[in-house]
Amino acid sequence: MRSLRTGLPLAALVTCLVALLTAPAAHAADTPLRDLAAAKGKVMGTAVTGSKLTGTYGDIAGREFNALTPGNAMKWGSVEPTRGSFNWAEADQIVDFAEAHGQQVRGHTLVWHSQNPSWLTNGSWTSAELSQLMNDHIALEVGRYKGRLATWDVVNEPFNEDGTYRQTLWHDGLGADYIAQALTAARAADPSAELYINDYNVEGVNAKSTALYNLVRSLKERGVPIDGVGLQAHLILGQVPSTLQQNIQRFADLGVDVAITELDIRMQLPSDSAKLTQQAADYKAVMNACLAVSRCVGVTVWGFTDSDSWIPGTFPGQGAATPYDENYAPKPAYYAIAESLGGGTTTPPPTDACTATYSVGNQWNTGFTGQVRIACSGAALSSWKVSWTFGAGQQLTQAWNASCTQSGATVTCSNASYNGTVPDGGSVTFGFNGSWSGSNPVPTVTLG
């Protein structure tokens, strides 16, 4: 972030939360990521929420990616919340969208310890009953989409961090061979789908990834159907494992494919230019590791926009983990992905291309009238939001040409329905009235 003084009398602190960069297509890479990836024989995928596949979200999902993963729509708790009662609406919606946009679908996930329906987790099952439940679920769900899905994450997260098997409903009820049983059932339900085991914290060479490696080797030796391993890659800023490519290669050497299945790279908020630059380097490092191994089939990001990311709800104070910001503007990470795929050195617009300036036009003993001007040079906005923090107890009383709210000392204003667009070389303004007592100080303006 950069700071400057406006030089205007009684200016106030304005943070342009610039949600704001132009309609995404204007600043995205000239060639969509999916086309760059396809040229290298790779998948560039994203997890999606079915209900959001309209408008800008749907446009980006369809334009930039050649594979979709349902974030939650195919998990057991979603499709069969009550035993024998099914809800396929969102899953069907995602598959239909993918087919309409020439995309493949990664089914996620069939056998997992989490997001199961309560009737399943709270039941008292014999081993025979549990075995039948798992077989029936796999046959039903995989069978429903037979021939339409390219890949299934059949078993998800079977290991503890030390490489021991996770104690779950499935492991405790059926033993470690529940994994082989699930893979065999999935192959029977759709012989053409690629079958994967998927886990997290297995990106580098460590105890957990070695346990997964040993399992896959054993399954291959036994003739159990296993086509690939998924490395989730929920990573932390600056912590891409140095052994990532080595690890991908050792799995490939077993004769299976490898996919990066759930990539995001989280940071401590707020984000700033240094963090976003590091994040871009991290995304590029992951992409390059996959591109270096022929059997690494591709990379899927776990949501492409920060507004659809699971990170803030799970890791308080962290976020900004995806290639697009909350307002669908591509971040440096997006351009790093494009560059790694051979898209040239396209760079995002400068962070100071659009500015917000607060000024006071009139002031009297109990109140004042202010104005904010949002101007662009070298970029454009399709929407905007600004905020500032009053330093001496001032209160906003009225605003026009913007929608404004105040919480404590912080005021946040966003565009009205008619003035969200700020063209390159253009500007918009909005005004407001406020009350003050004692002083109306001049803080520093920051742009984010």
Side-chain angles (χ1 to χ4, degrees):
M1 301 185 73
R2 66 185 185 91
S3 298
L4 55 91
R5 291 265 179 191
T6 64
L8 299 174
L10 299 172
L13 177 64
V14 177
T15 303
C16 191
L17 294 175
V18 197
L20 324 171
L21 286 169
T22 177
H27 281 163
D30 292 338
T31 305
L33 299 181
R34 62 181 289 170
D35 294 343
L36 295 172
K40 292 186 174 293
K42 303 293 185 181
V43 168
M44 188 69 224
T46 183
V48 293
T49 301
S51 61
K52 298 181 180 180
L53 285 171
T54 60
T56 303
Y57 182 98
D59 291 343
I60 296 173
R63 181 185 69 241
E64 295 290 336
F65 303 98
N66 56 11
L68 301 182
T69 301
N72 291 298
M74 289 185 178
K75 292 170 181 173
W76 199 332
S78 296
V79 300
E80 194 181 7
T82 303
R83 189 174 186 184
S85 178
F86 299 92
N87 180 1
W88 301 104
E90 187 186 359
D92 287 350
Q93 180 184 21
I94 293 169
V95 175
D96 290 344
F97 181 96
E99 289 177 342
H101 290 81
Q103 298 164 308
Q104 60 177 254
V105 177
R106 183 181 196 91
H108 180 82
T109 178
L110 295 170
V111 180
W112 190 25
H113 66 273
S114 184
Q115 290 183 247
N116 289 313
S118 58
W119 66 262
L120 177 64
T121 56
N122 295 334
S124 296
W125 314 106
T126 65
S127 291
E129 290 170 334
L130 193 60
S131 177
Q132 192 64 51
L133 283 167
M134 185 174 75
N135 285 345
D136 289 348
H137 171 69
I138 292 172
L140 180 68
E141 184 158 8
V142 177
R144 180 180 181 84
Y145 299 106
K146 181 178 180 180
R148 300 179 71 190
L149 267 62
T151 308
W152 278 100
D153 289 327
V154 178
V155 175
N156 201 42
E157 301 174 1
F159 290 106
N160 295 314
E161 296 305 297
D162 63 359
T164 58
Y165 282 102
R166 186 190 294 269
Q167 304 302 298
T168 69
L169 172 73
W170 307 111
H171 181 274
D172 295 349
L174 301 175
D177 229 26
Y178 82 91
I179 297 171
Q181 180 182 337
L183 289 162
T184 301
R187 174 68 86 233
D190 187 352
S192 67
E194 298 288 302
L195 309 180
Y196 275 66
I197 300 172
N198 191 52
D199 215 328
Y200 66 93
N201 287 352
V202 292
E203 296 76 32
V205 176
N206 56 36
K208 192 174 186 180
S209 66
T210 297
L212 178 58
Y213 175 88
N214 290 333
L215 170 64
V216 172
R217 181 173 59 185
S218 172
L219 292 171
K220 291 283 289 183
E221 290 171 350
R222 294 166 54 193
V224 175
I226 173 71
D227 300 304
V229 294
L231 314 181
Q232 291 184 12
H234 295 296
L235 302 177
I236 299 171
L237 189 71
Q239 297 184 28
V240 177
S242 60
T243 52
L244 175 58
Q245 182 179 327
Q246 174 190 344
N247 193 43
I248 294 172
Q249 186 66 60
R250 71 167 175 163
F251 279 104
D253 290 343
L254 288 177
V256 296
D257 291 337
V258 181
I260 307 297
T261 55
E262 305 182 20
L263 176 63
D264 51 30
I265 301 175
R266 64 187 184 268
M267 64 182 69
Q268 197 69 32
L269 297 175
S271 65
D272 58 33
S273 59
K275 293 176 185 176
L276 292 173
T277 298
Q278 179 63 57
Q279 183 185 56
D282 291 346
Y283 266 94
K284 191 170 185 180
V286 174
M287 294 296 301
N288 287 346
C290 180
L291 289 162
V293 181
S294 60
R295 292 204 70 152
C296 185
V297 297
V299 175
T300 289
V301 293
W302 202 245
F304 61 84
T305 169
D306 291 341
S307 65
D308 196 38
S309 173
W310 69 296
I311 295 295
T314 305
F315 300 96
Q318 298 183 55
T322 76
Y324 284 79
D325 72 15
E326 293 183 350
N327 296 275
Y328 306 121
K331 292 153 59 176
Y334 169 91
Y335 299 97
I337 294 171
E339 187 172 351
S340 71
L341 290 170
T345 56
T346 304
T347 57
T351 57
D352 59 354
C354 294
T355 59
T357 306
Y358 178 120
S359 61
V360 174
N362 190 23
Q363 181 173 303
W364 55 97
N365 60 342
T366 59
F368 65 98
T369 297
Q371 175 180 282
V372 172
R373 179 177 184 266
I374 299 156
C376 291
S377 177
L381 304 180
S382 58
S383 64
W384 49 262
K385 182 184 294 182
V386 297
S387 72
W388 63 89
T389 301
F390 283 129
Q394 302 97 316
Q395 291 290 318
L396 198 73
T397 58
Q398 181 187 17
W400 50 92
N401 296 331
S403 176
C404 296
T405 59
Q406 182 169 353
S407 177
T410 301
V411 177
T412 301
C413 298
S414 57
N415 60 272
S417 60
Y418 51 82
N419 65 352
T421 300
V422 185
D424 188 0
S427 66
V428 298
T429 60
F430 68 89
F432 53 89
N433 289 330
S435 63
W436 70 288
S437 176
S439 65
N440 201 357
V442 182
T444 301
V445 176
T446 62
L447 169 65

